[in-house]
Amino acid sequence: MNTAMAKLIEKIGRRAARISVIGLGYVGLNVSVSFANEGFKVHGFDVDKKKISSLENGVNYIPEERYLARVLPKVLGKKFIPSIEVEKASLLGDVVIIIVPTANGDVPTLTYLEKALKSVIRNDISGKFIIIESTVKVGTTDEFVVPILEKSGLTAGEDFFVAYSPERIDPGNPDKTLKSIPKIVSGINSESAEIAAELYEKIVSKVVLVSSMRTAEFVKLMENSQRDVNIALMNMFALMCEKSGIDVEEALFAASTKWNFHPYKASCGVGGHCLKKDPLLLAKSFENSDLDLGLIYSARKLNDSMPPLTAEKAAAICREKLGKDVAEAKFGILGLTYKKNSSDARNAPAQFIMERLGEIGAKRISAYDPLIRDSPINGSLMDVLKSDIVIMTVAHDAFKGVFDTFAGYVVDGTNTLEPSERVIGVGRGFAQEGVEQDEGNGFEKCGQDVPQRFRESAVE
Ligand SMILES: NC(=O)c1ccc[n+]([C@@H]2O[C@H](COP(=O)([O-])OP(=O)(O)OC[C@H]3O[C@@H](n4cnc5c(N)ncnc54)[C@H](O)[C@@H]3O)[C@@H](O)[C@H]2O)c1
């Protein structure tokens, strides 16, 4: 063990290693607060002045996350110091963790990562430990990150340490905390990997060490691509059900009585910062190979078609059930985030549903989401419930019971509500024109209770 490594490990053991986190978004704020809560001094940096001044004023901008709501007030200003001065990250930290975005919309980009790395090399990084957590294409840490860091004139793995450890948190899900999710860890060499493991063991219950940074990058992309492809398959099943009058939830319930059938959920779309870009990053990683990557692109295309199809379904209901022209009808959108109980609105299906509604002539659209602040399109629940048709895009807990007295039509993009004449899900309750609705609709007819998991939203 070289001296720098021994020193770092010893400091980590005493929780005396200072940690800088660059990027205080959904992941970075969580990571910062987790280390601070374990006794580490954490300096958190972000280029977003609003985020930093919010923290300086003691305001948590992700209040729906229970862990943050509980722990941030305890550590803020004490063990956790936020700052806009990103160039000080490598000066103040023995360890610098970078967790910046790696896409604009769904278009992957390394611009943010590059800027963050350039801030890091503004100070002497000898003996420091640089960790990348952002999701990246396979090979990025070796081929993009390390060359930038080595512009410092130092050698990675010898003069400073480098690790890659993808993040797997699940915002909005109180059952899956950062602590409870096993952490994949890798390093440029065994020393770096070992220090990373020592460090992360302080905040997570299990560290999974893999043999190379490329493997760790690949693992993250595999996980999200697997989800995306499986959700696409479910969405395709749902569209088939709409063509045949079969209820997709009933079919999924029945199919999942087979031990090796995995019931992912059909929905009105896949959004967020991750699932829309990670499969593309995986495909890009192999674009120069002779592999046929069509499966990944087809899944992306299918999932991206769900929001416009949902809008078109609402328009069809409007014409066929209400006998109204799309331009006359009032449409309501319930839920503007991409995920249940999260305030993250990036690439949310709602945005694409509204776009399509506009394209096909809807003139009166209102939207509401209690978790969204500062959005010009966010109106009131009362206004949404005055609509002829409400499209529910995400099943926030706050929406429980909202339709109890609603007399219009509901397009349930989450397949959470019980379908009925007026509640139409994805792949359930509404057959295309000319298709007879399957009379068997309803679990009760099978003499079974609907399992809880089928009642939960899986809009990702
Ligand atoms: N959100 C998730 O659920 C999740 C889960 C796993 C992995 N990830 C990955 O983690 C990474 C970050 O995602 P996120 O959701 O936290 O993004 P985010 O947009 O919520 O947060 C990133 C933060 O980085 C800041 N930033 C950008 N450039 C910067 C720079 N040069 N210096 C300092 N700050 C900078 C932004 O202002 C922003 O606050 C992405 O690669 C994402 O794919 C996200």
Side-chain angles (χ1 to χ4, degrees), residues 22-28 45-48 51 86 99-102 112 115-116 134-135 167-169 171 220 273-274 277 338 344 346:
I22 300 183
L24 298 177
Y26 284 91
V27 179
F45 300 90
D46 205 292
V47 287
D48 184 341
K51 284 196 174 110
V86 187
I99 322 176
V100 293
T102 37
Y112 304 101
K115 274 201 181 137
S134 297
T135 308
E167 192 46 69
R168 293 164 133 180
I169 63 162
K220 174 70 195 176
H273 182 61
C274 297
K277 76 159 183 338
Y338 86 95
D344 194 344
R346 285 176 289 181

Side-chain angles (χ1 to χ4, degrees), residues 43 155 186 196 353:
H43 290 275
T155 305
S186 66
I353 292 172

